Amino acid sequence: AQSVTQPDIHITVSEGASLELRCNYSYGATPYLFWYVQSPGQGLQLLLKYFSGDTLVQGIKGFEAEFKRSQSSFNLRKPSVHWSDAAEYFCAVGPRGSSYKLIFGSGTRLLVRP
Amino acid sequence: GAVVSQHPSWVICKSGTSVKIECRSLDFQATTMFWYRQFPKQSLMLMATSNEGSKATYEQGVEKDKFLINHASLTLSTLTVTSAHPEDSSFYICSARVRLEEQFFGPGTRLTVL
C-alpha cells in the first residue's frame, strides 16, 4: 500500500540550531516528492519538490531536502532555524507525471525555542 | 506564483443547515481542483477531485450526497456541506492543479457546526 511516514510528531529545536525532519515513503515506483509547510489556521505552502535529477533539492526559506532512493526517504533540512519556522510540516508523494491524489504524511510540528 | 483563495475563511452554522465553501484560482485557470479535509492535529485527507464541466470524483468513504461539489467554471469550485452536523466540523482545504505535477493550496475554511 502507498503510504508516507513522518515518524516525528513533534520536534523542538533552539533558534539557530540545525533541523532535520524525516520522511519515508512506500510507493510502487519513485514518486514525485513534496514538502509543504502549514502555519496555524492556514493552508499549505510548497517548500520544495523533487521530480528527477539532482537528489539534493533547494527550496524556499533556506530549506533543502535530499532524496535517497535506497532508503525511500526524503528528509527536510535547514542549517539554522528561525523562530518564524515554527509550523506544521507535511511530506507528500504523488504519482510521476501528475500531482493527482497526493498522499500526505501525518505531519511534524516544529517548535522553536528562543 | 499561483494564488488560490477560499471563502469564507471560517463559518459557524447550526446543525441541519447547509454551508457552501468557494475555492477560486485568482490568476490562472484550473481544470482540476481538489478538496481536502483536515481534522485537528491530523493530516489532509483527499475528499474529492473536481473537474470543470464534469462530475466530481469522490474518494472511498466520502458521501457524495453530503458533500456536493460543483466546478462550474475554470476558476471556481464549490463544496456544499448539506445538512451539516457537528461531526462535519473540520478544516476544509482546496487546491488547484497548476501543472500536471503541482497543486497550489487555498488558505482553508474552518467549519464549526453547533
Side-chain angles (χ1 to χ4, degrees), chain A residues 50-106:
Chain A
Y50 173 77
F51 293 162
S52 65
D54 192 345
T55 56
L56 184 63
V57 294
Q58 302 297 320
I60 63 171
K61 304 184 180 187
F63 286 92
E64 66 178 26
E66 185 172 13
F67 167 59
K68 292 186 177 180
R69 185 191 306 274
S70 61
Q71 298 177 21
S72 296
S73 70
F74 189 55
N75 293 348
L76 181 72
R77 301 194 293 249
K78 186 169 183 178
S80 178
V81 169
H82 188 264
W83 64 267
S84 60
D85 294 324
E88 188 90 21
Y89 291 82
F90 292 97
C91 179
V93 301
R96 296 193 73 78
S98 173
S99 65
Y100 182 65
K101 284 197 173 184
L102 289 180
I103 300 172
F104 286 84
S106 55

Tab-separated table of all heavy atoms in Angstrom, chain A residues 50-106:
chain	number	residue	atom	x	y	z
A	50	TYR	N	10.723	17.322	-5.485
A	50	TYR	CA	11.688	16.536	-6.242
A	50	TYR	C	10.955	15.776	-7.330
A	50	TYR	O	10.012	15.027	-7.052
A	50	TYR	CB	12.431	15.549	-5.335
A	50	TYR	CG	13.307	14.606	-6.136
A	50	TYR	CD1	14.520	15.036	-6.658
A	50	TYR	CD2	12.890	13.305	-6.403
A	50	TYR	CE1	15.304	14.183	-7.418
A	50	TYR	CE2	13.668	12.456	-7.151
A	50	TYR	CZ	14.869	12.898	-7.665
A	50	TYR	OH	15.643	12.067	-8.424
A	51	PHE	N	11.429	15.974	-8.528
A	51	PHE	CA	10.869	15.230	-9.654
A	51	PHE	C	11.911	14.281	-10.234
A	51	PHE	O	11.644	13.110	-10.466
A	51	PHE	CB	10.367	16.181	-10.742
A	51	PHE	CG	9.177	17.002	-10.337
A	51	PHE	CD1	8.834	18.152	-11.026
A	51	PHE	CD2	8.365	16.629	-9.265
A	51	PHE	CE1	7.726	18.913	-10.662
A	51	PHE	CE2	7.267	17.383	-8.888
A	51	PHE	CZ	6.950	18.526	-9.596
A	52	SER	N	13.094	14.799	-10.486
A	52	SER	CA	14.162	13.985	-11.049
A	52	SER	C	15.458	14.782	-10.959
A	52	SER	O	15.461	15.935	-10.525
A	52	SER	CB	13.860	13.617	-12.508
A	52	SER	OG	13.837	14.783	-13.311
A	53	GLY	N	16.558	14.152	-11.354
A	53	GLY	CA	17.826	14.862	-11.402
A	53	GLY	C	18.535	14.875	-10.070
A	53	GLY	O	18.517	13.881	-9.329
A	54	ASP	N	19.172	15.987	-9.780
A	54	ASP	CA	19.946	16.139	-8.549
A	54	ASP	C	19.093	15.756	-7.342
A	54	ASP	O	17.990	16.273	-7.154
A	54	ASP	CB	20.425	17.585	-8.420
A	54	ASP	CG	21.482	17.746	-7.331
A	54	ASP	OD1	21.629	16.826	-6.503
A	54	ASP	OD2	22.153	18.789	-7.325
A	55	THR	N	19.620	14.868	-6.537
A	55	THR	CA	18.830	14.363	-5.413
A	55	THR	C	18.781	15.326	-4.240
A	55	THR	O	18.036	15.099	-3.290
A	55	THR	CB	19.379	13.013	-4.942
A	55	THR	OG1	20.771	13.167	-4.607
A	55	THR	CG2	19.242	11.960	-6.031
A	56	LEU	N	19.573	16.361	-4.273
A	56	LEU	CA	19.520	17.398	-3.251
A	56	LEU	C	18.803	18.598	-3.852
A	56	LEU	O	19.304	19.200	-4.805
A	56	LEU	CB	20.930	17.778	-2.796
A	56	LEU	CG	21.009	18.804	-1.654
A	56	LEU	CD1	20.375	18.235	-0.380
A	56	LEU	CD2	22.461	19.196	-1.392
A	57	VAL	N	17.655	18.904	-3.307
A	57	VAL	CA	16.858	19.986	-3.875
A	57	VAL	C	16.785	21.155	-2.910
A	57	VAL	O	16.702	20.964	-1.687
A	57	VAL	CB	15.432	19.518	-4.242
A	57	VAL	CG1	15.489	18.523	-5.366
A	57	VAL	CG2	14.715	18.924	-3.052
A	58	GLN	N	16.832	22.325	-3.465
A	58	GLN	CA	16.750	23.538	-2.669
A	58	GLN	C	15.335	24.100	-2.749
A	58	GLN	O	14.675	24.027	-3.786
A	58	GLN	CB	17.748	24.575	-3.190
A	58	GLN	CG	19.189	24.098	-3.202
A	58	GLN	CD	19.713	23.796	-1.825
A	58	GLN	OE1	19.434	24.507	-0.864
A	58	GLN	NE2	20.484	22.712	-1.706
A	59	GLY	N	14.879	24.631	-1.625
A	59	GLY	CA	13.546	25.210	-1.606
A	59	GLY	C	13.552	26.637	-1.090
A	59	GLY	O	14.602	27.269	-1.002
A	60	ILE	N	12.383	27.079	-0.734
A	60	ILE	CA	12.263	28.436	-0.213
A	60	ILE	C	12.625	28.473	1.260
A	60	ILE	O	12.711	27.421	1.919
A	60	ILE	CB	10.835	28.982	-0.422
A	60	ILE	CG1	9.817	28.145	0.346
A	60	ILE	CG2	10.494	29.031	-1.908
A	60	ILE	CD1	8.426	28.732	0.361
A	61	LYS	N	12.853	29.658	1.770
A	61	LYS	CA	13.108	29.891	3.194
A	61	LYS	C	14.340	29.159	3.708
A	61	LYS	O	14.444	28.873	4.902
A	61	LYS	CB	11.887	29.496	4.041
A	61	LYS	CG	10.602	30.192	3.637
A	61	LYS	CD	9.465	29.833	4.579
A	61	LYS	CE	8.196	30.548	4.163
A	61	LYS	NZ	7.096	30.365	5.136
A	62	GLY	N	15.266	28.830	2.832
A	62	GLY	CA	16.501	28.198	3.258
A	62	GLY	C	16.418	26.702	3.492
A	62	GLY	O	17.352	26.096	4.021
A	63	PHE	N	15.322	26.092	3.121
A	63	PHE	CA	15.160	24.642	3.287
A	63	PHE	C	15.750	23.872	2.113
A	63	PHE	O	15.789	24.365	0.991
A	63	PHE	CB	13.677	24.278	3.434
A	63	PHE	CG	13.091	24.628	4.772
A	63	PHE	CD1	12.466	25.849	4.967
A	63	PHE	CD2	13.177	23.735	5.831
A	63	PHE	CE1	11.933	26.190	6.202
A	63	PHE	CE2	12.644	24.066	7.067
A	63	PHE	CZ	12.021	25.301	7.254
A	64	GLU	N	16.180	22.664	2.412
A	64	GLU	CA	16.615	21.734	1.381
A	64	GLU	C	16.165	20.343	1.771
A	64	GLU	O	15.826	20.080	2.929
A	64	GLU	CB	18.144	21.759	1.210
A	64	GLU	CG	18.911	21.243	2.406
A	64	GLU	CD	20.419	21.232	2.163
A	64	GLU	OE1	20.913	22.028	1.346
A	64	GLU	OE2	21.085	20.416	2.823
A	65	ALA	N	16.129	19.457	0.808
A	65	ALA	CA	15.755	18.075	1.078
A	65	ALA	C	16.575	17.165	0.191
A	65	ALA	O	16.953	17.534	-0.933
A	65	ALA	CB	14.263	17.843	0.836
A	66	GLU	N	16.839	15.990	0.685
A	66	GLU	CA	17.627	15.022	-0.073
A	66	GLU	C	16.827	13.758	-0.306
A	66	GLU	O	16.313	13.151	0.635
A	66	GLU	CB	18.921	14.680	0.671
A	66	GLU	CG	19.844	13.762	-0.136
A	66	GLU	CD	21.201	13.587	0.506
A	66	GLU	OE1	21.360	13.966	1.681
A	66	GLU	OE2	22.105	13.058	-0.178
A	67	PHE	N	16.734	13.370	-1.544
A	67	PHE	CA	16.064	12.138	-1.930
A	67	PHE	C	17.079	11.002	-1.902
A	67	PHE	O	18.126	11.070	-2.548
A	67	PHE	CB	15.469	12.281	-3.330
A	67	PHE	CG	15.016	10.982	-3.941
A	67	PHE	CD1	14.063	10.198	-3.316
A	67	PHE	CD2	15.547	10.534	-5.149
A	67	PHE	CE1	13.636	9.002	-3.878
A	67	PHE	CE2	15.124	9.345	-5.716
A	67	PHE	CZ	14.179	8.570	-5.076
A	68	LYS	N	16.751	9.965	-1.144
A	68	LYS	CA	17.608	8.782	-1.088
A	68	LYS	C	16.759	7.586	-1.509
A	68	LYS	O	15.953	7.063	-0.713
A	68	LYS	CB	18.178	8.587	0.310
A	68	LYS	CG	19.177	9.672	0.714
A	68	LYS	CD	19.825	9.360	2.054
A	68	LYS	CE	20.874	10.416	2.403
A	68	LYS	NZ	21.532	10.164	3.703
A	69	ARG	N	16.973	7.145	-2.730
A	69	ARG	CA	16.175	6.059	-3.282
A	69	ARG	C	16.329	4.775	-2.466
A	69	ARG	O	15.350	4.091	-2.196
A	69	ARG	CB	16.580	5.796	-4.735
A	69	ARG	CG	15.737	4.754	-5.452
A	69	ARG	CD	16.375	4.372	-6.786
A	69	ARG	NE	16.617	5.548	-7.601
A	69	ARG	CZ	15.724	6.086	-8.402
A	69	ARG	NH1	14.533	5.546	-8.516
A	69	ARG	NH2	16.032	7.151	-9.109
A	70	SER	N	17.562	4.488	-2.067
A	70	SER	CA	17.828	3.227	-1.357
A	70	SER	C	17.103	3.176	-0.014
A	70	SER	O	16.793	2.104	0.491
A	70	SER	CB	19.325	3.044	-1.153
A	70	SER	OG	19.852	4.097	-0.368
A	71	GLN	N	16.840	4.317	0.554
A	71	GLN	CA	16.181	4.376	1.855
A	71	GLN	C	14.724	4.808	1.743
A	71	GLN	O	14.042	4.921	2.767
A	71	GLN	CB	16.933	5.356	2.771
A	71	GLN	CG	18.371	4.933	3.049
A	71	GLN	CD	19.124	5.944	3.893
A	71	GLN	OE1	18.530	6.753	4.591
A	71	GLN	NE2	20.454	5.911	3.823
A	72	SER	N	14.268	5.059	0.528
A	72	SER	CA	12.902	5.577	0.320
A	72	SER	C	12.635	6.746	1.259
A	72	SER	O	11.616	6.795	1.958
A	72	SER	CB	11.865	4.468	0.547
A	72	SER	OG	12.010	3.448	-0.400
A	73	SER	N	13.583	7.655	1.283
A	73	SER	CA	13.452	8.782	2.200
A	73	SER	C	13.581	10.109	1.460
A	73	SER	O	14.178	10.189	0.372
A	73	SER	CB	14.502	8.702	3.311
A	73	SER	OG	15.799	8.942	2.802
A	74	PHE	N	13.034	11.120	2.072
A	74	PHE	CA	13.095	12.467	1.514
A	74	PHE	C	13.069	13.424	2.704
A	74	PHE	O	12.090	14.070	3.012
A	74	PHE	CB	11.899	12.702	0.589
A	74	PHE	CG	11.960	13.993	-0.212
A	74	PHE	CD1	13.051	14.293	-1.014
A	74	PHE	CD2	10.895	14.899	-0.181
A	74	PHE	CE1	13.103	15.464	-1.767
A	74	PHE	CE2	10.934	16.079	-0.923
A	74	PHE	CZ	12.034	16.347	-1.721
A	75	ASN	N	14.191	13.501	3.392
A	75	ASN	CA	14.277	14.274	4.627
A	75	ASN	C	14.505	15.758	4.344
A	75	ASN	O	15.266	16.138	3.455
A	75	ASN	CB	15.403	13.745	5.501
A	75	ASN	CG	15.112	12.339	6.013
A	75	ASN	OD1	13.988	11.841	5.911
A	75	ASN	ND2	16.145	11.696	6.538
A	76	LEU	N	13.876	16.555	5.151
A	76	LEU	CA	13.947	18.011	5.020
A	76	LEU	C	14.966	18.552	6.011
A	76	LEU	O	14.988	18.129	7.170
A	76	LEU	CB	12.568	18.625	5.305
A	76	LEU	CG	12.438	20.145	5.190
A	76	LEU	CD1	12.502	20.570	3.720
A	76	LEU	CD2	11.116	20.601	5.812
A	77	ARG	N	15.768	19.510	5.566
A	77	ARG	CA	16.804	20.056	6.441
A	77	ARG	C	16.854	21.575	6.331
A	77	ARG	O	16.467	22.167	5.297
A	77	ARG	CB	18.183	19.488	6.087
A	77	ARG	CG	18.280	17.977	6.195
A	77	ARG	CD	19.724	17.528	6.158
A	77	ARG	NE	20.351	17.770	4.864
A	77	ARG	CZ	20.710	16.830	4.009
A	77	ARG	NH1	20.452	15.564	4.297
A	77	ARG	NH2	21.304	17.120	2.884
A	78	LYS	N	17.355	22.154	7.409
A	78	LYS	CA	17.645	23.582	7.403
A	78	LYS	C	18.815	23.801	8.351
A	78	LYS	O	18.790	23.310	9.482
A	78	LYS	CB	16.437	24.420	7.845
A	78	LYS	CG	16.668	25.916	7.698
A	78	LYS	CD	15.400	26.725	7.885
A	78	LYS	CE	15.681	28.210	7.641
A	78	LYS	NZ	14.460	29.057	7.759
A	79	PRO	N	19.845	24.514	7.922
A	79	PRO	CA	21.045	24.635	8.747
A	79	PRO	C	20.855	25.503	9.988
A	79	PRO	O	21.511	25.263	11.005
A	79	PRO	CB	22.067	25.259	7.788
A	79	PRO	CG	21.279	25.861	6.681
A	79	PRO	CD	20.011	25.095	6.583
A	80	SER	N	19.966	26.489	9.930
A	80	SER	CA	19.784	27.381	11.068
A	80	SER	C	18.319	27.800	11.127
A	80	SER	O	17.825	28.535	10.275
A	80	SER	CB	20.690	28.613	10.925
A	80	SER	OG	20.482	29.514	12.001
A	81	VAL	N	17.651	27.351	12.159
A	81	VAL	CA	16.204	27.566	12.265
A	81	VAL	C	15.907	28.947	12.838
A	81	VAL	O	16.584	29.424	13.760
A	81	VAL	CB	15.581	26.465	13.153
A	81	VAL	CG1	14.154	26.800	13.504
A	81	VAL	CG2	15.658	25.126	12.447
A	82	HIS	N	14.878	29.558	12.310
A	82	HIS	CA	14.400	30.853	12.794
A	82	HIS	C	13.084	30.645	13.518
A	82	HIS	O	12.341	29.695	13.238
A	82	HIS	CB	14.228	31.792	11.584
A	82	HIS	CG	13.929	33.210	11.942
A	82	HIS	ND1	12.652	33.724	11.989
A	82	HIS	CD2	14.756	34.235	12.291
A	82	HIS	CE1	12.684	34.994	12.338
A	82	HIS	NE2	13.944	35.326	12.529
A	83	TRP	N	12.781	31.550	14.445
A	83	TRP	CA	11.545	31.394	15.212
A	83	TRP	C	10.322	31.328	14.290
A	83	TRP	O	9.333	30.647	14.592
A	83	TRP	CB	11.362	32.544	16.220
A	83	TRP	CG	11.192	33.897	15.599
A	83	TRP	CD1	12.167	34.815	15.341
A	83	TRP	CD2	9.972	34.476	15.134
A	83	TRP	NE1	11.643	35.918	14.744
A	83	TRP	CE2	10.296	35.755	14.605
A	83	TRP	CE3	8.639	34.059	15.099
A	83	TRP	CZ2	9.339	36.604	14.057
A	83	TRP	CZ3	7.683	34.902	14.564
A	83	TRP	CH2	8.043	36.154	14.046
A	84	SER	N	10.389	31.995	13.165
A	84	SER	CA	9.247	32.009	12.248
A	84	SER	C	9.052	30.673	11.526
A	84	SER	O	8.059	30.483	10.826
A	84	SER	CB	9.420	33.126	11.215
A	84	SER	OG	10.605	32.923	10.465
A	85	ASP	N	9.988	29.761	11.698
A	85	ASP	CA	9.836	28.440	11.079
A	85	ASP	C	8.897	27.535	11.862
A	85	ASP	O	8.539	26.451	11.393
A	85	ASP	CB	11.202	27.745	10.948
A	85	ASP	CG	12.122	28.459	9.971
A	85	ASP	OD1	11.621	28.985	8.951
A	85	ASP	OD2	13.343	28.495	10.226
A	86	ALA	N	8.511	27.934	13.049
A	86	ALA	CA	7.587	27.125	13.847
A	86	ALA	C	6.289	26.949	13.086
A	86	ALA	O	5.621	27.926	12.728
A	86	ALA	CB	7.335	27.793	15.191
A	87	ALA	N	5.938	25.703	12.812
A	87	ALA	CA	4.768	25.401	11.984
A	87	ALA	C	4.616	23.888	11.906
A	87	ALA	O	5.364	23.139	12.533
A	87	ALA	CB	4.922	25.984	10.577
A	88	GLU	N	3.667	23.450	11.108
A	88	GLU	CA	3.473	22.029	10.828
A	88	GLU	C	4.042	21.751	9.445
A	88	GLU	O	3.789	22.500	8.494
A	88	GLU	CB	1.981	21.686	10.848
A	88	GLU	CG	1.665	20.211	10.757
A	88	GLU	CD	1.590	19.556	12.126
A	88	GLU	OE1	1.390	20.280	13.115
A	88	GLU	OE2	1.723	18.314	12.199
A	89	TYR	N	4.790	20.671	9.342
A	89	TYR	CA	5.425	20.326	8.072
A	89	TYR	C	4.892	18.987	7.586
A	89	TYR	O	4.838	18.007	8.343
A	89	TYR	CB	6.945	20.262	8.241
A	89	TYR	CG	7.541	21.630	8.483
A	89	TYR	CD1	7.526	22.200	9.756
A	89	TYR	CD2	8.107	22.372	7.446
A	89	TYR	CE1	8.049	23.468	9.988
A	89	TYR	CE2	8.629	23.632	7.664
A	89	TYR	CZ	8.593	24.177	8.939
A	89	TYR	OH	9.095	25.430	9.158
A	90	PHE	N	4.508	18.969	6.327
A	90	PHE	CA	3.951	17.760	5.731
A	90	PHE	C	4.794	17.316	4.544
A	90	PHE	O	5.109	18.107	3.664
A	90	PHE	CB	2.519	17.993	5.243
A	90	PHE	CG	1.522	18.220	6.341
A	90	PHE	CD1	1.155	19.501	6.713
A	90	PHE	CD2	0.958	17.138	7.003
A	90	PHE	CE1	0.237	19.706	7.732
A	90	PHE	CE2	0.035	17.339	8.019
A	90	PHE	CZ	-0.319	18.625	8.388
A	91	CYS	N	5.100	16.042	4.536
A	91	CYS	CA	5.717	15.403	3.387
A	91	CYS	C	4.599	14.779	2.564
A	91	CYS	O	3.622	14.263	3.128
A	91	CYS	CB	6.700	14.347	3.877
A	91	CYS	SG	7.560	13.430	2.590
A	92	ALA	N	4.718	14.817	1.252
A	92	ALA	CA	3.677	14.248	0.404
A	92	ALA	C	4.309	13.605	-0.820
A	92	ALA	O	5.380	14.007	-1.268
A	92	ALA	CB	2.680	15.327	-0.036
A	93	VAL	N	3.632	12.599	-1.343
A	93	VAL	CA	4.083	11.938	-2.562
A	93	VAL	C	2.935	11.882	-3.546
A	93	VAL	O	1.756	11.888	-3.167
A	93	VAL	CB	4.593	10.504	-2.286
A	93	VAL	CG1	5.740	10.520	-1.294
A	93	VAL	CG2	3.468	9.603	-1.805
A	94	GLY	N	3.274	11.839	-4.810
A	94	GLY	CA	2.270	11.733	-5.843
A	94	GLY	C	2.817	10.940	-7.006
A	94	GLY	O	4.040	10.811	-7.153
A	95	PRO	N	1.941	10.409	-7.832
A	95	PRO	CA	2.403	9.594	-8.954
A	95	PRO	C	3.194	10.424	-9.949
A	95	PRO	O	2.888	11.602	-10.176
A	95	PRO	CB	1.096	9.079	-9.568
A	95	PRO	CG	0.069	10.069	-9.160
A	95	PRO	CD	0.491	10.579	-7.815
A	96	ARG	N	4.214	9.800	-10.541
A	96	ARG	CA	5.021	10.517	-11.510
A	96	ARG	C	4.162	10.958	-12.686
A	96	ARG	O	3.301	10.234	-13.144
A	96	ARG	CB	6.167	9.629	-12.019
A	96	ARG	CG	7.145	9.257	-10.939
A	96	ARG	CD	8.412	8.654	-11.523
A	96	ARG	NE	9.228	9.676	-12.161
A	96	ARG	CZ	10.007	10.528	-11.497
A	96	ARG	NH1	10.070	10.477	-10.196
A	96	ARG	NH2	10.718	11.423	-12.142
A	97	GLY	N	4.390	12.160	-13.116
A	97	GLY	CA	3.646	12.703	-14.248
A	97	GLY	C	2.390	13.420	-13.839
A	97	GLY	O	1.709	14.004	-14.665
A	98	SER	N	2.096	13.411	-12.555
A	98	SER	CA	0.860	14.053	-12.133
A	98	SER	C	0.882	14.340	-10.645
A	98	SER	O	1.493	13.601	-9.887
A	98	SER	CB	-0.325	13.128	-12.441
A	98	SER	OG	-1.522	13.650	-11.888
A	99	SER	N	0.211	15.398	-10.248
A	99	SER	CA	0.064	15.661	-8.817
A	99	SER	C	-1.283	15.132	-8.333
A	99	SER	O	-1.716	15.416	-7.245
A	99	SER	CB	0.130	17.168	-8.539
A	99	SER	OG	-0.982	17.823	-9.137
A	100	TYR	N	-1.890	14.338	-9.162
A	100	TYR	CA	-3.188	13.781	-8.801
A	100	TYR	C	-3.052	12.883	-7.587
A	100	TYR	O	-2.138	12.083	-7.488
A	100	TYR	CB	-3.726	12.983	-9.978
A	100	TYR	CG	-5.086	12.381	-9.755
A	100	TYR	CD1	-6.197	13.195	-9.577
A	100	TYR	CD2	-5.268	11.004	-9.722
A	100	TYR	CE1	-7.449	12.646	-9.376
A	100	TYR	CE2	-6.520	10.458	-9.535
A	100	TYR	CZ	-7.612	11.285	-9.364
A	100	TYR	OH	-8.844	10.742	-9.178
A	101	LYS	N	-3.962	13.042	-6.673
A	101	LYS	CA	-4.016	12.188	-5.496
A	101	LYS	C	-2.708	12.181	-4.716
A	101	LYS	O	-2.049	11.150	-4.575
A	101	LYS	CB	-4.399	10.760	-5.881
A	101	LYS	CG	-5.884	10.593	-6.190
A	101	LYS	CD	-6.279	9.131	-6.157
A	101	LYS	CE	-7.773	8.978	-6.300
A	101	LYS	NZ	-8.219	7.587	-6.190
A	102	LEU	N	-2.352	13.326	-4.199
A	102	LEU	CA	-1.218	13.378	-3.298
A	102	LEU	C	-1.538	12.607	-2.030
A	102	LEU	O	-2.656	12.652	-1.514
A	102	LEU	CB	-0.892	14.830	-2.933
A	102	LEU	CG	-0.295	15.705	-4.019
A	102	LEU	CD1	-0.029	17.105	-3.473
A	102	LEU	CD2	0.980	15.106	-4.567
A	103	ILE	N	-0.542	11.904	-1.536
A	103	ILE	CA	-0.667	11.218	-0.256
A	103	ILE	C	0.208	11.955	0.737
A	103	ILE	O	1.404	12.137	0.502
A	103	ILE	CB	-0.216	9.747	-0.382
A	103	ILE	CG1	-1.084	9.027	-1.424
A	103	ILE	CG2	-0.316	9.051	0.978
A	103	ILE	CD1	-0.588	7.635	-1.753
A	104	PHE	N	-0.404	12.363	1.827
A	104	PHE	CA	0.307	13.165	2.813
A	104	PHE	C	0.731	12.326	4.007
A	104	PHE	O	0.033	11.394	4.428
A	104	PHE	CB	-0.577	14.311	3.307
A	104	PHE	CG	-0.738	15.428	2.323
A	104	PHE	CD1	-1.696	15.362	1.330
A	104	PHE	CD2	0.086	16.543	2.372
A	104	PHE	CE1	-1.847	16.392	0.412
A	104	PHE	CE2	-0.060	17.577	1.465
A	104	PHE	CZ	-1.015	17.497	0.482
A	105	GLY	N	1.858	12.676	4.576
A	105	GLY	CA	2.232	12.130	5.864
A	105	GLY	C	1.405	12.787	6.958
A	105	GLY	O	0.633	13.712	6.702
A	106	SER	N	1.585	12.312	8.156
A	106	SER	CA	0.777	12.793	9.278
A	106	SER	C	1.259	14.126	9.824
A	106	SER	O	0.603	14.721	10.669
A	106	SER	CB	0.757	11.751	10.393
A	106	SER	OG	2.079	11.417	10.761
